[in-house]
Amino acid sequence: MDPETDAHLRIGFIGAGNMAFGIAKGIISGNVLPANIKVSAPSKRNFGRFQEIGIAGTNSNVELVCGSDIVFVAVKPHLVREVLNGISPYITDRHIVVSVAAGVTLETLQELLPENTSVIRLMPNLPCIVQEGALLFTRGSCAKPADGALLRSLLQHCGLVEEGPEAWLDIHTGLSGSGVAFVYLFAEALAEGAIKMGMPSSLAHTIASQTVLGAGRVLRDSGKHPAQLRSEVCTPGGTTIYGLHTLEQGGVRASTMSAVESATERARQLGQKSTTRK
């Protein structure tokens, strides 16, 4: 996309939570000026960090929509219907509406907005805050390829951005959205193991976080399968294979797979609730 096109876009975020903040930070790392972005929320409680990076806040969703070309709906799934009902009369054919609400389907979004509205579902994750996110989006029936290309251009500084079918979005929520918490739990357990063996707590947690960061970067940048990298760390009769044996005895692989499955199913349940709630 033309950088000049990005620079002149007016972008609004309905909702002032972590996802909105992370995406906004990524966008202003590109060509969009903070002055061209606005955030809305019922209270001013979360406006401070947006204002620190030059983004203004408002308590009016309607004001935000009327002054935006792209509207990110970044509220909890159970609030989407109320929010869209409130802004629908002000959505025009110039708008692109991007929902980041977990489980809320394109069908539901399109029913709540004017006919022919360009709608995109986007699933980001928390590391967007440090521009290391994993984002997956899918376009609604009226969203053109150019709309998807524009969104990808805007989000390129947020991390990895991919497009796929809607059926993958709930899986992405379980894998990458909830998966962040699974990694945190593993990092906590790594540190606690070191603490148990006598290392000071602060040092153990610092080393655990660096271990997770370093392993992730090698995994991403090497292009190798995780199993290959794992085998490269193991030496016959060494420390790693003994530790891996203990993890396998504890069922860490099966438990992790089940955790992704459970989170995915919950995302689907949230989508069903959003569809049936009138």
Side-chain angles (χ1 to χ4, degrees):
M1 300 298 294
D2 182 354
E4 290 300 317
T5 301
D6 288 1
H8 291 93
L9 285 171
R10 298 174 301 167
I11 299 169
F13 289 87
I14 299 179
N18 287 330
M19 286 299 107
F21 183 66
I23 295 170
K25 279 187 66 178
I27 289 175
I28 64 174
S29 297
N31 299 301
V32 179
L33 296 174
N36 288 350
I37 303 177
K38 185 171 283 189
V39 60
S40 66
S43 75
K44 299 179 180 179
R45 186 176 66 251
N46 292 328
F47 285 170
R49 57 182 175 173
F50 286 91
Q51 292 168 345
E52 288 174 2
I53 59 175
I55 296 174
T58 177
N59 297 129
S60 170
N61 292 343
V62 171
E63 175 190 333
L64 179 137
V65 167
C66 292
S68 300
D69 302 304
I70 300 179
V71 178
F72 286 85
V73 180
V75 299
K76 298 295 185 184
H78 70 278
L79 296 175
V80 168
R81 185 174 295 274
E82 176 185 348
V83 166
L84 294 188
N85 283 337
I87 67 171
S88 183
Y90 305 94
I91 295 292
T92 69
D93 57 7
R94 83 165 192 273
H95 286 102
I96 300 174
V97 179
V98 182
S99 169
V100 299
V104 182
T105 65
L106 283 170
E107 180 182 8
T108 297
L109 296 168
Q110 290 172 160
E111 286 178 353
L112 294 170
L113 290 166
E115 189 176 2
N116 298 323
T117 299
S118 178
V119 180
I120 298 176
R121 273 189 70 188
L122 171 70
M123 286 292 103
N125 67 349
L126 186 60
C128 285
I129 292 176
V130 292
Q131 283 76 64
E132 290 289 355
L135 305 93
L136 182 67
F137 71 89
T138 188
R139 291 178 287 116
S141 59
C142 296
K144 301 179 289 294
D147 297 334
L150 176 59
L151 182 64
R152 188 190 291 270
S153 176
L154 286 174
L155 300 179
Q156 62 182 313
H157 295 285
C158 293
L160 175 70
V161 186
E162 298 286 354
E163 182 174 5
E166 187 171 23
W168 292 358
L169 293 185
D170 291 335
I171 303 171
H172 177 73
T173 300
L175 168 63
S176 188
S178 300
V180 171
F182 307 158
V183 173
Y184 292 155
L185 179 63
F186 184 71
E188 181 184 14
L190 279 178
E192 288 177 344
I195 294 166
K196 179 181 179 182
M197 300 310 295
M199 182 178 284
S201 176
S202 60
L203 180 60
H205 284 285
T206 298
I207 292 176
S209 64
Q210 184 63 35
T211 300
V212 171
L213 174 63
R217 285 186 173 175
V218 171
L219 179 60
R220 180 190 65 186
D221 297 343
S222 70
K224 295 179 180 179
H225 192 280
Q228 182 180 351
L229 291 171
R230 174 171 52 80
S231 68
E232 291 174 359
V233 179
C234 290
T235 56
T239 61
T240 304
I241 192 63
Y242 271 71
L244 287 169
H245 184 210
T246 300
L247 287 173
E248 293 288 7
Q249 287 177 321
V252 66
R253 187 192 304 263
S255 294
T256 303
M257 292 171 66
S258 295
V260 174
E261 181 181 9
S262 296
T264 300
E265 290 299 336
R266 180 55 179 162
R268 289 171 176 165
Q269 291 170 6
L270 291 172
Q272 291 169 357
K273 288 182 180 179
S274 73
T275 301
T276 57
R277 185 180 292 134
K278 301 296 183 184

